[in-house]
Amino acid sequence: MKKHILFLSVIVSTLITSCHNSASENLMTSDGIRKPKPPKAIGPPRILFIGNSHTEYYVSAPTLFQELCNANNQNVNIQQLVTMGVPLDKVYFTNKTEANQNFSNIDKDGNYYDYVIIQESTPIALTNLSKYRDNLKLFAQKIHKNSPDAAIYVYQNMSPLSYINSEYYNYYKELRKNTILAAAFIKNAGLLRVGDAVKDAYEGKNGYKYLTNNKDNLRDGKSTLHFINDGGFLQAVLLYATIFDKKPIIPKKLILSTGTGDNDCMRKQEVSKTVTDPVALEEIAFSNR
């Protein structure tokens, strides 16, 4: 067993080192994860979200991120390719016409997209590393055609299990490991550390309490747990902090979910009334940038 662990460590070290050599100018996070370097944009940077229901369901990561940017005078152009409940290859084929049109566009600064956030389905990210890599490569090859220097953030999936499940941490560790390994094969790619931030929130970092009257304030669902208002807020602030390397000014209102029922929707609501502890969640997000 020790030999197997040592062998895996050597593989991870070799992969990360080789990627550092090809992109030595990239920054590193405190735990050794490389951070992609964005290209110099002429005009507002263009940001593409690719994923499924963890990108947009009860709350919308692109929408919340856009609102944070607006409130902080960060002029950005946001696009998305999102299909519910499918892995990345199905996201592409479901949106093939739109995707090919987007990927064929050019910009005068040499990169049509400046940032890309790619979110794989949890079953693939958890159990099929080979397909995980292939699906990332599928998009990376198309993105790099007209955005050769785009900063790609691979979404670190959160453990799909309830925090009280005894296997929560095992799933978390496996997803983290697989995301690092998969991202290592992509040029100028790093992690959007959603899984780490969610774990920290569940552990009560910065005084955050995820339970209110035995209700999980971060996620909701039966077969699949999706972000609700606390989780969506955490994810949006994490993305802002990751890209801009600073905390956003939080506006008084954001487009958040009115609930999880069939008749609920996303609409503008007061953050202080719909997010249980925005200050703690902002600190957790910033520490995982």
Side-chain angles (χ1 to χ4, degrees), residues 67 71 250-256 268-272:
E67 287 196 291
I250 305 301
K252 185 177 180 180
K253 293 184 177 181
L254 287 170
I255 295 179
L256 296 163
K268 193 82 85 172
Q269 299 177 77
E270 290 189 31
V271 173
S272 62

Side-chain angles (χ1 to χ4, degrees), residues 184-204:
F185 284 84
I186 306 301
K187 173 188 171 185
N188 199 27
L191 269 60
L192 179 64
R193 298 173 55 190
V194 177
D196 288 345
V198 169
K199 178 186 73 70
D200 284 352
Y202 277 130
E203 290 178 344

Side-chain angles (χ1 to χ4, degrees), residues 55-61 64 227-229 231-232 255-257 266:
T55 298
E56 181 163 324
Y57 195 68
Y58 295 127
V59 289
S60 168
L64 285 170
F227 278 140
I228 47 181
N229 289 336
I255 295 179
L256 296 163
S257 175
M266 286 181 276

